[in-house]
């Protein structure tokens, strides 16, 4: 088991846009919580005007350019293509994708890795809706829409996972490459499409509990247009998967 | 098989059962006619119940926000010492 662990390398892809402070904090926390793991951090910055890339360069001086890779793009081009872009530069046999805004805490990374090793699964996805998981900083409306969306998806899609729109996940690199090419959705429907397509293809998916802290209370608003987008995404997945 | 096909197949199977019930009149006809309505209403009730139960047991983690705040302070101190510009706020 130990010898096998040494062979694994984890590429952590973090898309950023104006995350100057958060990217520094998250890099520190990743190094703190993965002391004996072979990993690299790939920051895909979409031309942030706030100097996110300058901070990443400073972090490279502290931690090494081989551990933190800056792979910027000229402008905002969307989340899905950010992962594709990061994936091109990934040298690990596993890929972790997570948000830069600290709603995904790096302290859960060891449990993702451990779960993958124990089960040999192709994907480990973080779930907020089981024991040990949870959310902080959502108002009642946000919770209501979240529950409604979840019940709809569970009733009609039978996805086999409890948290469809979460985006804190560990993939075998080959599996991510396989499913990402067939995903066309945008925003968080993209996260749902990834996991549903993986589930339909028969990949072994495991879940670990994570907590999700919205640091700016009520910042994640779900407006009418998002709900329409979600319903369209649900319909799209019903007829294409 | 596309997922919508599975759901359609399920609906067709249910309709077949319903039609055979209408034909054989095991139940009184007036009741049998209303079965699809009962089905839709109970599906709606199930959905509302699941949303309600989910809301009541919505897992929250206020302590995690405090822990994260401590992590942020710790990270800033370390990074400042290494010469990374993490601001002064």
């Amino acid at each position: 088991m130990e010898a096998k662990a040494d062979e694994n390398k984890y590429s952590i892809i973090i898309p950023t846009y104006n995350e100057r402070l958060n990217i520094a904090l998250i890099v520190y926390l990743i190094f703190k919580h993965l002391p004996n793991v072979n990993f690299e951090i790939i920051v895909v910055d979409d031309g942030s005007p706030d100097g996110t890339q300058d901070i990443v360069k400073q972090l490279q001086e502290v931690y090494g350019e081989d551990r933190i890779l800056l792979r910027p793009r000229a402008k905002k081009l969307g989340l899905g293509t950010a992962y594709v872009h990061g994936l091109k530069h990934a040298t690990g046999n596993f890929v972790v994708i997570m948000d830069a805004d600290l709603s995904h805490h790096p302290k859960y990374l060891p449990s993702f890795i451990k779960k993958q090793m124990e089960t040999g699964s192709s994907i480990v996805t973080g779930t907020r809706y089981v024991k040990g998981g949870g959310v902080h900083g959502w108002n009642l409306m946000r919770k209501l829409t979240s529950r409604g969306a979840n019940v709809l998806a569970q009733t009609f899609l039978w996805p086999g996972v409890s948290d469809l729109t979460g985006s804190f996940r560990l993939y075998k690199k080959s599996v991510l490459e396989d499913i990402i090419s067939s995903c066309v959705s945008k925003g968080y429907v993209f996260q749902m499409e990834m996991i549903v397509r993986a589930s339909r293809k028969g990949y072994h998916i495991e879940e670990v509990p994570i907590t999700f802290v919205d640091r700016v209370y009520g910042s994640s608003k779900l407006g009418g247009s998002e709900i329409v987008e979600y319903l369209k995404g649900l319909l799209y997945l019903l007829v294409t998967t | 098989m596309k997922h919508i096909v599975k759901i359609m197949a399920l609906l067709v199977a249910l309709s077949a059962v319903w039609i055979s019930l209408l034909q054989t009149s095991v139940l009184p006809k007036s009741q049998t006619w209303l079965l699809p309505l009962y089905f839709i209403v109970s599906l709606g009730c199930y959905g509302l119940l699941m949303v309600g139960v989910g809301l009541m047991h919505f897992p929250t983690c206020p302590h995690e926000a405090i822990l994260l705040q401590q992590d942020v302070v710790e990270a800033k101190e370390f990074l400042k010492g290494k010469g990374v510009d993490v601001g002064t706020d």
Side-chain angles (χ1 to χ4, degrees):
Chain A
M1 201 70 194
E2 283 302 308
K4 204 165 168 274
D6 289 341
E7 292 165 21
N8 289 332
K9 182 173 182 183
Y10 300 86
S11 300
I12 304 169
I13 300 177
I14 309 178
T16 56
Y17 186 77
N18 286 349
E19 299 285 1
R20 183 190 169 84
L21 176 58
N22 286 338
I23 192 64
L25 301 175
I26 204 164
V27 164
Y28 167 80
L29 290 170
I30 292 171
F31 276 92
K32 179 186 171 188
H33 290 283
L34 294 179
N36 299 311
V37 177
N38 185 11
F39 69 88
E40 64 187 0
I41 300 170
I42 302 171
V43 180
V44 181
D45 184 67
D46 277 4
S48 305
D50 76 337
T52 300
Q53 293 179 27
D54 300 334
I55 289 286
V56 174
K57 282 170 193 153
Q58 292 178 16
L59 290 164
Q60 284 178 323
E61 274 165 34
V62 177
Y63 292 103
E65 280 185 35
D66 55 328
R67 305 302 297 280
I68 303 175
L69 284 63
L70 177 60
R71 296 292 179 265
R73 301 190 295 176
K75 60 179 167 85
K76 255 191 143 170
L77 292 166
L79 207 55
T81 55
Y83 294 131
V84 175
H85 183 81
L87 199 53
K88 270 188 262 172
H89 302 281
T91 60
N93 54 335
F94 287 97
V95 175
V96 173
I97 61 180
M98 61 192 295
D99 292 349
D101 64 359
L102 286 180
S103 56
H104 296 155
H105 198 298
K107 69 181 168 189
Y108 296 106
L109 286 169
S111 66
F112 279 77
I113 292 171
K114 185 160 165 272
K115 188 73 161 187
Q116 196 287 322
M117 282 189 176
E118 282 169 1
T119 60
S121 52
S122 299
I123 301 173
V124 181
T125 177
T127 175
R128 299 162 285 191
Y129 303 131
V130 296
K131 199 174 183 308
V135 173
H136 177 73
W138 282 5
N139 59 19
L140 184 65
M141 197 56 206
R142 185 75 184 79
K143 287 178 183 172
L144 184 70
T145 40
S146 159
R147 290 317 307 174
N150 207 273
V151 168
L152 269 182
Q154 296 294 339
T155 308
F156 292 106
L157 278 178
W158 316 340
V161 290
S162 61
D163 190 349
L164 283 164
T165 49
S167 54
F168 193 177
R169 292 178 187 149
L170 170 80
Y171 295 85
K172 275 183 186 164
K173 190 187 176 191
S174 55
V175 171
L176 183 57
E177 284 168 338
D178 178 30
I179 54 175
I180 207 164
S181 54
S182 49
C183 291
V184 297
S185 304
K186 293 203 160 45
Y188 58 95
V189 176
F190 173 79
Q191 309 294 354
M192 183 160 81
E193 181 173 11
M194 293 265 278
I195 206 75
V196 172
R197 289 204 187 277
S199 168
R200 299 285 192 260
K201 285 195 177 200
Y203 286 121
H204 180 178
I205 305 171
E206 289 283 338
E207 295 188 308
V208 289
I210 57 161
T211 57
F212 184 97
V213 177
D214 240 336
R215 289 160 80 213
V216 189
Y217 188 88
S219 65
S220 55
K221 285 192 207 78
L222 260 187
S225 64
E226 275 96 346
I227 293 173
V228 171
E229 280 308 306
Y230 175 82
L231 293 176
K232 270 158 63 180
L234 197 66
L235 201 67
Y236 167 73
L237 288 178
L238 269 175
V239 295
T240 60
T241 69
Chain B
M1 188 163 57
K2 301 289 183 218
H3 197 70
I4 191 79
V5 181
K6 280 187 220 166
I7 291 177
M8 287 303 182
L10 197 67
L11 286 178
V12 169
L14 283 174
S15 320
V17 172
W18 180 57
I19 289 166
S20 62
L21 278 177
L22 274 176
Q23 298 289 331
T24 54
S25 53
V26 187
L27 297 166
K29 260 228 161 93
S30 57
Q31 295 288 312
T32 317
W33 272 112
L34 287 173
L35 277 178
L37 191 67
Y38 292 154
F39 176 70
I40 292 164
V41 169
S42 52
L43 198 66
C45 287
Y46 163 79
L48 285 179
L49 188 76
M50 291 310 287
V51 171
V53 169
L55 263 187
M56 273 164 58
H57 297 282
F58 203 99
T60 54
C61 49
H63 57 284
E64 287 295 328
I66 299 161
L67 291 177
L68 180 60
Q69 225 37 60
Q70 292 166 358
D71 286 338
V72 168
V73 172
E74 180 190 315
K76 272 189 177 173
E77 230 154 74
F78 175 85
L79 292 167
K80 219 176 263 176
K82 292 280 181 185
V84 178
D85 178 19
V86 287
T88 46
D89 55 330

